[in-house]
Amino acid sequence: MRIVFWASLAGILYAYAGYPLLIWLLARLRPVPWVTSPIQPEVSVVLAVHNGLSMLPRKIRHLLSLDYRGIKEVIIVSDGSSDGTEEYLATQDDRRLKCIILGKHSGKAVAVNTGIQAASAEIILFVDIRPEIAPGAIQQLVSNFADPSVGCANGELIVRCGDGSGASAAIGGAYWSYEKWIRTSESKSGSAVGVYGGFYAIRRSLAVSQPAGLILDDMFQPLSIRRQGFRVVLDPKAYVYDAWPQTVGRELHRKVRTLAGNFQLFQIAPWTLTWRNPLLFRLISHKVMRLFVPYLFVAAVVCTFLLSPTSHFYAALAAIQMLGIVLASVGLRYDVPVLHRVASPMSAVFVLNAAAVLGLYKFLFTRGPLWTIWKSSHSSNVTLHPGAAGSSSGPAAQSNQSE
């Protein structure tokens, strides 16, 4: 039982602290720099959307007003929309717009594949319907392709948490900063495992057709590009702005979808878990280990309580664990000002691990295509950077992008 406890604790510590510190040290001690230069390759912007009429007019204005002169075309793929999106696209006459209508709702992967096939520029930029791209961000992003070793470049997501609940704000604030730190270290030491899917670019010559129904294009595409021998980098100066879900329930739903997508990725593309994946060690350490952490937590807690009668040490650990569980519960249910700073991070850890368990359940028992678990209709108050092109303050619908 002691062996199970310490093995579980070691797994948890490695997933949350060991690997991040290891990859950070690698980035500091053995960095792999790349060349950037203010080149201006032609860019095809690809946006997949399903029932996005509430946000589409603003998004089109935003994309057409971007300050990068090399935008050759903006390709909008409507994935079986039924809310008037297709009728609205039919009214657009800007020569830079290329609107494609898919009669059947088939998921984001099919829509993105269609956009890739229609793209004709050297660089393909993938965007989502809600995020706002800062002035100069596209120029900054494409400058990374001056290095011939770079095949995929990701921008820096700046999260606006607004007045969300404690746990949701903790995930959108501290946890996202922690996640970006890991991705930045991976990028500086070679290649990142995944990217932020709302704003990333690839060389068109390296684009890979995604399996129909795939959820995580922002992992499959970068891993496929790295498999071809090219780097996946993160540029911390290419800013894009977005809002985080304002409630724990919405954040949990978002994470369940993402983590279910991890299981789906490993099933659809089993090569990602073999030595054919050059980022295998990083993928297992960064992504796979976190899928096992909830069960390691349960094992550690059970062992601690069973061992507590035999040792003051384990009894103290049991008391600390019980306190943590209570604080996490309080943080989820109540916004107590005094306990907010302590309870919210614990609540965030609970939500993230609950999402991993629910993600596995969704993956195993969802009938039909897995992408159908993404049903987003809530609103978010998006407060954008005042300098963002086409930015606005006030209510904006949550992205109904094709998932």
Side-chain angles (χ1 to χ4, degrees), residues 66-340:
L66 291 171
D67 55 0
Y68 183 71
R69 295 184 178 180
I71 295 179
K72 183 178 182 180
E73 57 200 1
V74 175
I75 302 169
I76 301 177
V77 183
S78 173
D79 178 28
S81 298
S82 57
D83 66 339
T85 291
E86 297 175 2
E87 290 77 6
Y88 177 78
L89 290 176
T91 67
Q92 302 303 299
D93 58 1
D94 192 290
R95 62 179 180 80
R96 291 169 294 175
L97 281 179
K98 184 182 293 185
C99 302
I100 301 174
I101 307 301
L102 301 180
K104 180 182 178 182
H105 184 26
S106 303
K108 185 178 181 181
V110 172
V112 169
N113 285 341
T114 303
I116 291 173
Q117 292 169 3
S120 58
E122 178 184 352
I123 302 297
I124 301 178
L125 173 65
F126 299 100
V127 299
D128 283 346
I129 197 169
R130 188 184 56 216
E132 298 281 355
I133 302 168
I138 297 180
Q139 175 63 72
Q140 181 66 38
L141 192 66
V142 299
S143 70
N144 294 278
F145 293 102
D147 192 317
S149 70
V150 173
C152 176
N154 190 206
E156 174 86 353
L157 171 62
I158 307 299
V159 172
R160 303 303 187 191
C161 295
D163 299 323
S165 66
S168 179
I171 296 173
Y175 177 77
W176 180 239
S177 297
Y178 161 79
E179 180 66 22
K180 287 195 295 184
W181 171 56
I182 298 174
R183 294 187 186 190
T184 301
S185 297
E186 289 177 337
S187 174
K188 289 181 177 180
S189 61
S191 284
V193 170
V195 298
Y196 163 59
F199 184 60
Y200 75 100
I202 66 172
R203 297 184 190 273
R204 181 169 62 90
S205 60
L206 302 177
V208 176
S209 181
Q210 302 168 89
L214 184 76
I215 289 179
L216 298 184
D217 64 291
D218 50 7
M219 278 184 64
F220 179 82
Q221 200 68 249
L223 289 174
S224 297
I225 287 173
R226 182 66 190 94
R227 189 184 182 190
Q228 296 176 66
F230 292 83
R231 294 183 64 180
V232 178
V233 300
L234 186 149
D235 191 321
K237 296 180 181 179
Y239 299 124
V240 62
Y241 302 91
D242 198 1
W244 210 262
Q246 298 293 293
T247 67
V248 173
R250 291 168 180 169
E251 173 57 18
L252 177 63
H253 178 70
R254 188 188 71 83
K255 289 299 295 182
V256 167
R257 167 197 166 270
T258 301
L259 294 172
N262 277 292
F263 292 108
Q264 181 204 45
L265 175 66
F266 304 147
Q267 178 193 47
I268 291 179
W271 62 265
T272 58
L273 294 179
T274 72
W275 291 112
R276 289 184 292 167
N277 176 11
L279 299 179
L280 177 62
F281 171 74
R282 298 183 181 207
L283 178 66
I284 291 175
S285 299
H286 188 171
K287 300 295 184 179
V288 178
M289 281 296 297
R290 293 187 190 180
L291 301 176
F292 288 95
V293 165
Y295 312 104
L296 298 179
F297 266 123
V298 171
V301 169
V302 170
C303 289
T304 301
F305 276 86
L306 292 177
L307 290 168
S308 59
T310 67
S311 164
H312 292 299
F313 172 75
Y314 288 106
L317 280 181
I320 293 172
Q321 289 171 349
M322 182 58 66
L323 178 62
I325 293 171
V326 170
L327 286 175
S329 302
V330 169
L332 286 173
R333 189 169 182 83
Y334 306 104
D335 190 6
V336 182
V338 179
L339 296 177
H340 176 77

